[in-house]
Amino acid sequence: MIPTSIEETQKALEAHHYITEKGLAVSVFLALKLGRPLLLEGEPGVGKTEIVKVLADMLQTRLIRLQCYEGLDINNAVYEWDYARQMMQIRLLEASGERDQSKVRHEVFSSEFLLERPLLQALKSVNGKPPVLLIDELDRADEEFEAFLLEFLSDWQITIPEVGTVKAEKPPVVVITSNRTREIHDALKRRCLYFWIDYPDFQKEYRIVREKVPGVPEKLAAQVVAFVQELRKEDLYKAPGVAETLDWASSLMALDAVRLEPALVEETLGVLLKYQDDVVRAKNAAQDLLARAQMPTLL
């Protein structure tokens, strides 16, 4: 069921273990109420993809994901023909004596031989419920594909020359994410509501860790979050996101840690950081970062 207010939206997200501020709840509520696509931008690992999974659970509907990448084309995003089965069908028709070329063409280019990809799947409701469509990391796709999306997001339909136009009875709930490795075109932005998900502050990230890592000791959770918050202030190539914070807390739990120790931090930095230069920089600053993370005011 679609929430009827911003407060209800925020509570529903949190009931599904997604801690969010009011601003994002407002954007989600409006996207659902107005039937508009929602464009989420932010650094990797801040929860852009996670909220889409939560939305699908919240609305009790299917989640369809289109992962974007350079070279993504219509065949992989919309549909393609099952050529192997088409060839087999043609041979069967020839073996049966069928010589009517128009009839053969009509049969092999029917929906029976159509392989539906995410955008085409997203136009179809199941039991009256439209799906949630995640178009993930659109900034990785070519601009030509972005241009194709303009029509899809405007008319909620796809034209297949051999079959006709497929139009959604109910538009899907669409969330587009971008890590901003390049700018998304203004024309597409105009079709969307927009929200930037920033790194969370200490209190929000602490709540996320406590929610997502069951059983994590309060002191360890606070130290982990405080350390990561301080680490993000360093000059890193890739600062750790919330996903890395959760991975680190889970890893420390697996090592039966109850508080941060210098040796433990140094040995597990690879969970937080994925570039050697960042790991070296963090090791050099670890003692100072740890001291700040253990300040009593943060516990």
Side-chain angles (χ1 to χ4, degrees):
M1 181 180 292
I2 294 179
T4 56
S5 67
I6 296 166
E7 291 72 23
E8 195 175 309
T9 303
Q10 192 167 10
K11 286 179 180 176
L13 291 170
E14 295 195 359
H16 287 77
H17 312 292
Y18 191 91
I19 309 299
T20 185
E21 65 274 17
K22 188 175 179 181
L24 180 54
V26 170
S27 295
V28 171
F29 172 71
L30 290 175
L32 295 174
K33 190 174 179 68
L34 303 177
R36 296 277 300 278
L38 176 60
L39 171 59
L40 298 177
E41 286 193 326
E43 297 293 337
V46 293
K48 300 187 296 296
T49 301
E50 181 65 21
I51 195 174
V52 187
K53 298 176 183 175
V54 168
L55 266 178
D57 283 344
M58 199 173 93
L59 300 174
Q60 297 182 331
T61 189
R62 296 176 298 150
L63 169 62
I64 296 174
R65 179 173 183 166
L66 174 62
Q67 179 63 52
C68 296
Y69 54 86
E70 188 177 354
L72 177 65
D73 59 14
I74 302 299
N75 287 342
N76 291 302
V78 186
Y79 73 92
E80 65 178 327
W81 293 104
D82 189 341
Y83 294 118
R85 288 188 61 224
Q86 284 178 315
M87 289 302 299
M88 190 178 299
Q89 183 67 14
I90 290 171
R91 287 170 183 163
L92 287 173
L93 289 170
E94 288 175 346
S96 67
E98 179 59 66
R99 295 291 184 272
D100 188 334
Q101 294 298 317
S102 62
K103 186 176 180 181
V104 171
R105 190 181 305 110
H106 179 74
E107 183 159 337
V108 297
F109 283 105
S110 65
S111 56
E112 182 183 349
F113 298 94
L114 197 62
L115 298 175
E116 298 182 354
R117 301 307 186 201
L119 294 186
L120 185 55
Q121 294 171 12
L123 295 179
K124 298 181 178 178
S125 300
V126 174
N127 298 324
K129 288 186 176 181
V132 172
L133 172 63
L134 166 62
I135 302 176
D136 208 9
E137 299 181 334
L138 180 59
D139 51 322
R140 291 179 179 272
D142 301 319
E143 293 186 8
E144 291 78 6
F145 178 73
E146 199 177 311
F148 170 79
L149 279 182
L150 293 177
E151 180 184 358
F152 177 82
L153 296 176
S154 296
D155 301 330
W156 305 114
Q157 68 179 31
I158 290 171
T159 298
I160 303 171
E162 300 87 349
V163 175
T165 299
V166 180
K167 187 174 178 63
E169 291 181 10
K170 294 180 181 178
V173 175
V174 178
V175 180
I176 301 169
T177 72
S178 167
N179 293 331
R180 214 175 183 182
T181 57
R182 68 167 176 83
E183 285 294 330
I184 303 299
H185 199 279
D186 285 347
L188 192 136
K189 282 186 173 180
R190 281 197 298 273
R191 287 163 171 77
C192 302
L193 303 180
Y194 176 84
F195 191 85
W196 172 268
I197 301 181
D198 210 342
Y199 289 122
D201 61 20
F202 175 84
Q203 293 299 335
K204 180 182 174 183
E205 192 161 21
Y206 175 74
R207 287 184 64 198
I208 293 172
V209 170
R210 296 281 289 162
E211 186 73 31
K212 294 284 190 179
V213 186
V216 62
E218 291 182 18
K219 184 173 183 178
L220 179 63
Q223 289 184 339
V224 163
V225 172
F227 186 93
V228 173
Q229 296 263 326
E230 294 296 328
L231 184 58
R232 288 186 188 129
K233 297 174 184 174
E234 298 293 312
D235 183 21
L236 301 175
Y237 178 74
K238 169 66 179 69
V242 179
E244 283 77 23
T245 306
L246 295 173
D247 285 345
W248 196 35
S250 298
S251 300
L252 295 171
M253 286 277 288
L255 296 172
D256 299 321
V258 293
R259 61 182 179 277
L260 292 185
E261 300 285 355
L264 185 63
V265 169
E266 187 168 323
E267 291 163 0
T268 56
L269 278 175
V271 181
L272 280 175
L273 302 168
K274 312 301 178 183
Y275 292 88
Q276 177 60 13
D277 288 348
D278 288 347
V279 172
V280 171
R281 194 167 288 114
K283 281 183 178 178
N284 292 335
Q287 190 171 356
D288 182 46
L289 293 172
L290 191 56
R292 281 184 269 160
Q294 292 174 332
M295 289 173 65
T297 52
L298 295 174
L299 304 180

